[in-house]
Amino acid sequence: MNDDRLEGDLRAALLQDDPGPMRDELRRRVAAVPDEMAPRRGLARLPRASGWAASLRAVAAVVLIAAIIGIALGIRGSNLGPASSAGPSATLTGPAATATGPAPSGSPAATPAPSATPVPTPITGEWRGLSWSAPAAFPNFEAIDDIVAWNGGYIAAAQVLGLAVQQPGFWNSSDGTTWTPLNVDTTAFPDSQINGLVPTTSGLLAWGWAGEPVCSGEGEGMTCEPRPVMLWTSPDGISWRQVADISRFNGATIDGITAGSQGLVAVGDTGWEQPAIWVSATGATWQRLTLPSATFKDAHFSDVRATASGYVLAGGIGNSAPTSGGVQLPDTGSAAVWWSLDGRTWTKGTVNRTDGVGTSLGSIYVGAKGMVAVGSASDAKGGDAAWTSTDGRTWQPIANAEAYAGVPTPAPGVPSVPSFTISDDGTHLLAVGMGDPVLGVSMWVSSDGVTWQQLPFSGATDTIPRWPGGTGLAIDTAYVVPGGLIVIGRGPFDTSKSVWRVTALP
Amino acid sequence: MISIDRLEGMIHVTARTSEGSEAERRAAFEQFTQSRLERAYRLAGLVLRDQSEAEDAVHDAAVQAWLHWKELRDQERMDAWFDRILVNGCRARMRRRSIHPLALSDPPEAPGHDAFTGVHERDVLHRALATLDADHRIAVVLRYVADLTPAEIAARTGEREGTVKSRLHYALRRLRAALDAADRTPGGLR
């Protein structure tokens, strides 16, 4: 069946669910809305994320719609990403980023940075609760690319709004709530987008691509050419330089970069059936490894993470080439992992399959005592698949990945968590559920991905954004950082994002 | 291209809302919502597959629209804005219902006569559509019923355009797989 016919039949099939004529009762109900709301007009509005957001409400629609497009954050196509691709063994020894830039804004200005509250000393031991700060205004990005803990503070990379071409910007913060734009020479970033930041032994590595995707075809058959890989290094977060030997990445797609005790490892491919691993000591120069076919036959990579003992690489074996600009749905292949002590010599691990005809392993999240891998499956249910591992070498499937959702299966009669995502800092695994009927967000912590503990909230919980009906995109991103989280979010009618520093409680 | 009638209507609505009196706000709200109720109800119905839930979703969206009516200054964005509220409400309802995908391992037996093949394919697709989760179903409905572009869908779902394309791709591929599965069964489609 060709695409046109499929789409025609799809329309017809959809219309089988047509609810029938609209009843006049609905027209009357909607017409009565102003009257119904009249007695409540003096009640509190939906929570305001920030005073700054409120002051900008006058331009709500224009900015809201523009910003809405950037809501879906996360460098891996999910709403919430890990704090960084760097594992716990990444050494953070870069020199201080000088916070002398202008005030928070989409474009640099000349206002001195406000003073910031020092980062609290991270607690030791288990997290037993989370205390939310009052929200602060976050620079009005189109999309946050990454936030990493670095040099005793935090640094963020994001796309600047309102420019004709892609233009990344950098901000730093000492407390996670007050962000100061860094006066970066943007000529190093021609029409570029940053996908991730990785702390290295000599500063920071940024990776991404240049230009817009060039796609052909429509619908199911759409394919996109890989965009040129771009890598940048910086000793201080301000002075950035393109990696000189980028030719080693010609025609490549990078799926993940991580920093471990043995250096940097990047994984990706130079075309379907052509998996690639690159290694580097500092990020300035790179070497592409020759992959033994016995170990990597029909391999496709999706993520790499540093662990306490080395590196773990996630992907699949077999499966069909992706279309739609890189979207991969596993069909006939199987999930696969590889592990390495030094990033150069790799051994294929064991992924015990779930049911179904095809699986693929996507992202790896690292805790102190174990790891979680989230992927997808093409079985009868379709959708998410997940595994856990204590050593990165042998992975056990989660029996019901959709119910697993990173949290315990709710008891009968208890509303399930309607959505989830996982992030980590290499020590703490954090599962975020949206749609808590009271708070809008719920969070669980784990060190091994098997046992999860819900974290009660305290502090300014009334400022957590909630969408109508108690559900929706309550928060955009939760980055796990030392001692807690940096949470980015926005209420349904706020025109800019807000940021919360969420402190872990013992 | 925008029609003169629509432009005049927008100017009319803009003038009313910008003046800001209670009566004028109510009139503008009523004009806006009543002209969009049929479409909103149909979209919600196709997403939720339940008449009562669709009505409640539209009503809830109208409540939110009224609560924030004064905040909206860019009238040209009102359609996307209202759709956004509606879509979020539908997504929330689907997730609260904990909709579980239906198994596809047992496609309906196909009739042998060509005249019924199209009907049978639509039945297979209908069953497969029921297996899509909230995000994918919303994308499919907005694309193939509301005829919105991926960019327009992205503005209504709060996702990047690429994410919308991914969702559409996934959904189409999954639906095609369902058809293929039915085709492989004895007495399949062809």
Side-chain angles (χ1 to χ4, degrees):
Chain A
M1 179 185 288
N2 61 37
D3 286 350
D4 288 343
R5 186 173 165 198
L6 175 64
E7 292 176 6
D9 280 357
L10 175 57
R11 285 190 176 86
L14 278 168
L15 295 181
Q16 289 182 252
D17 288 324
D18 192 296
M22 186 181 76
R23 294 185 287 203
D24 288 342
E25 173 63 20
L26 177 60
R27 198 173 293 281
R28 286 193 290 272
R29 285 175 66 189
V30 170
V33 163
D35 291 331
E36 291 174 0
M37 295 296 105
R40 299 168 57 187
R41 229 171 287 148
L43 297 178
R45 310 182 60 86
L46 287 175
R48 286 286 124 198
S50 71
W52 191 45
S55 69
L56 290 177
R57 208 181 307 149
V59 292
V62 172
V63 181
L64 172 61
I65 298 302
I68 277 171
I69 298 173
I71 274 183
L73 298 174
I75 59 178
R76 293 174 179 138
S78 63
N79 286 340
L80 307 180
S84 162
S85 291
S89 52
T91 307
L92 315 181
T93 57
T98 308
T100 56
S105 167
S107 58
T111 307
S115 60
T117 305
V119 178
T121 302
I123 64 168
T124 57
E126 294 184 5
W127 293 5
R128 300 191 185 280
L130 294 173
S131 175
W132 290 67
S133 72
F138 202 77
N140 195 18
F141 304 143
E142 180 177 353
I144 300 168
D145 299 316
D146 206 356
I147 295 177
V148 294
W150 185 67
N151 201 37
Y154 313 100
I155 188 163
Q159 290 292 307
V160 178
L161 279 172
L163 302 179
V165 296
Q166 300 174 100
Q167 176 62 68
F170 295 88
W171 287 255
N172 75 350
S173 174
S174 60
D175 64 356
T177 57
T178 304
W179 291 86
T180 304
L182 299 175
N183 190 18
V184 171
D185 179 3
T186 57
T187 58
F189 302 92
D191 194 16
S192 303
Q193 179 178 344
I194 291 174
N195 203 37
L197 293 173
V198 182
T200 70
T201 55
S202 57
L204 286 166
L205 173 79
W207 63 283
W209 46 71
E212 296 286 346
V214 178
C215 302
S216 58
E218 288 291 334
E220 185 180 9
M222 185 178 66
T223 59
C224 299
E225 297 297 321
R227 286 180 280 179
V229 167
M230 299 289 283
L231 294 167
W232 302 268
T233 58
S234 173
D236 54 10
I238 299 173
S239 174
W240 288 88
R241 174 176 298 181
Q242 289 183 32
V243 169
D245 68 342
I246 200 70
S247 62
R248 297 184 187 278
F249 294 91
N250 281 349
T253 298
I254 294 180
D255 293 306
I257 298 182
T258 191
S261 59
Q262 301 299 308
L264 292 155
V265 175
V267 302
D269 62 66
T270 52
W272 195 245
E273 310 290 0
Q274 298 178 61
I277 300 175
W278 299 265
V279 295
S280 173
T282 65
T285 60
W286 290 81
Q287 174 192 356
R288 181 172 176 177
L289 301 181
T290 300
L291 303 184
S293 58
T295 308
F296 291 102
K297 180 176 172 53
D298 296 331
H300 313 290
F301 300 152
S302 57
D303 194 14
V304 64
R305 287 298 304 268
T307 68
S309 59
Y311 303 83
V312 179
L313 199 171
I317 297 290
N319 288 316
S320 299
T323 57
S324 285
V327 177
Q328 179 182 0
L329 185 68
D331 43 23
T332 58
S334 58
V337 297
W338 296 262
W339 57 270
S340 173
L341 296 177
D342 60 3
R344 295 172 179 268
T345 303
W346 292 85
T347 302
K348 194 166 182 291
T350 300
V351 180
N352 292 314
R353 288 269 302 270
T354 57
D355 59 343
V357 296
T359 53
S360 179
L361 213 157
S363 299
I364 293 176
Y365 305 99
V366 181
K369 298 178 181 175
M371 294 162 236
V372 174
V374 176
S376 53
S378 299
D379 57 10
K381 293 180 178 178
D384 296 320
W387 295 261
T388 59
S389 174
T390 56
D391 58 6
R393 304 181 182 188
T394 302
W395 293 77
Q396 302 298 332
I398 301 297
N400 185 349
E402 291 186 342
Y404 169 68
V407 299
T409 302
V414 176
S416 61
V417 177
S419 65
F420 81 101
T421 190
I422 299 175
S423 55
D424 75 279
D425 63 349
T427 301
H428 302 89
L429 294 158
L430 183 84
V432 180
M434 304 288 187
D436 181 281
V438 177
L439 294 174
V441 177
S442 47
M443 296 181 174
W444 290 258
V445 69
S446 175
S447 61
D448 59 8
V450 177
T451 303
W452 294 83
Q453 183 69 41
Q454 185 167 5
L455 296 168
F457 293 165
S458 58
T461 55
D462 60 340
T463 65
I464 300 172
R466 303 169 182 84
W467 282 73
T471 59
L473 299 169
I475 63 173
D476 295 342
T477 314
Y479 295 95
V480 185
V481 297
L485 315 171
I486 293 174
V487 174
I488 310 297
R490 177 177 51 199
F493 299 96
D494 293 328
T495 55
S496 62
K497 297 179 191 302
S498 293
V499 57
W500 291 259
R501 180 69 166 93
V502 181
T503 304
L505 302 175
Chain B
M1 178 171 295
I2 192 167
S3 69
I4 296 297
D5 286 344
R6 186 168 177 222
L7 182 61
E8 288 177 349
M10 288 165 49
I11 293 171
H12 188 52
V13 171
T14 303
R16 285 184 165 185
T17 53
S18 61
E19 287 171 11
S21 74
E22 177 72 7
E24 287 166 338
R25 282 200 307 120
R26 286 176 175 242
F29 173 79
E30 181 172 355
Q31 177 183 334
F32 175 81
T33 53
Q34 295 296 329
S35 65
R36 287 158 179 81
L37 275 189
E38 290 275 0
R39 176 182 178 278
Y41 165 73
R42 187 157 178 253
L43 288 180
L46 292 176
V47 169
L48 296 168
R49 293 179 288 148
D50 184 283
Q51 184 180 35
S52 295
E53 285 228 63
E55 290 176 345
D56 288 346
V58 173
H59 176 260
D60 289 351
V63 169
Q64 293 303 323
W66 173 250
L67 286 174
H68 299 277
W69 190 254
K70 285 197 293 188
E71 301 167 20
L72 193 63
R73 293 293 185 271
D74 185 350
Q75 304 297 323
E76 290 188 38
R77 304 288 188 180
M78 290 181 79
D79 280 318
W81 178 70
F82 189 70
D83 280 356
R84 164 84 166 166
I85 299 172
L86 182 68
V87 164
N88 268 302
C90 289
R91 181 190 290 115
R93 286 174 178 276
M94 284 188 76
R95 289 175 172 172
R96 275 204 297 270
R97 289 194 318 206
S98 298
I99 292 175
H100 296 294
L102 303 177
L104 288 177
S105 56
D106 184 25
E109 190 166 335
H113 196 284
D114 285 346
F116 297 100
T117 300
V119 174
H120 177 63
E121 285 178 350
R122 285 196 289 276
D123 284 342
V124 172
L125 284 173
H126 186 237
R127 286 167 54 88
L129 281 166
T131 70
L132 298 179
D133 66 18
D135 291 327
H136 290 87
R137 186 171 178 93
I138 287 168
V140 166
V141 169
L142 293 180
R143 177 73 187 94
Y144 297 108
V145 176
D147 285 327
L148 299 178
T149 67
E152 291 170 329
I153 296 171
R156 285 157 171 80
T157 58
E159 297 161 327
R160 287 178 172 167
E161 186 176 348
T163 303
V164 172
K165 290 179 178 177
S166 299
R167 295 198 192 288
L168 292 172
H169 162 74
Y170 174 91
L172 284 178
R173 183 163 180 168
R174 187 161 173 162
L175 298 175
R176 182 181 287 279
L179 288 173
D180 291 343
D183 196 17
R184 287 194 297 270
T185 60
L189 296 176
R190 286 178 190 82

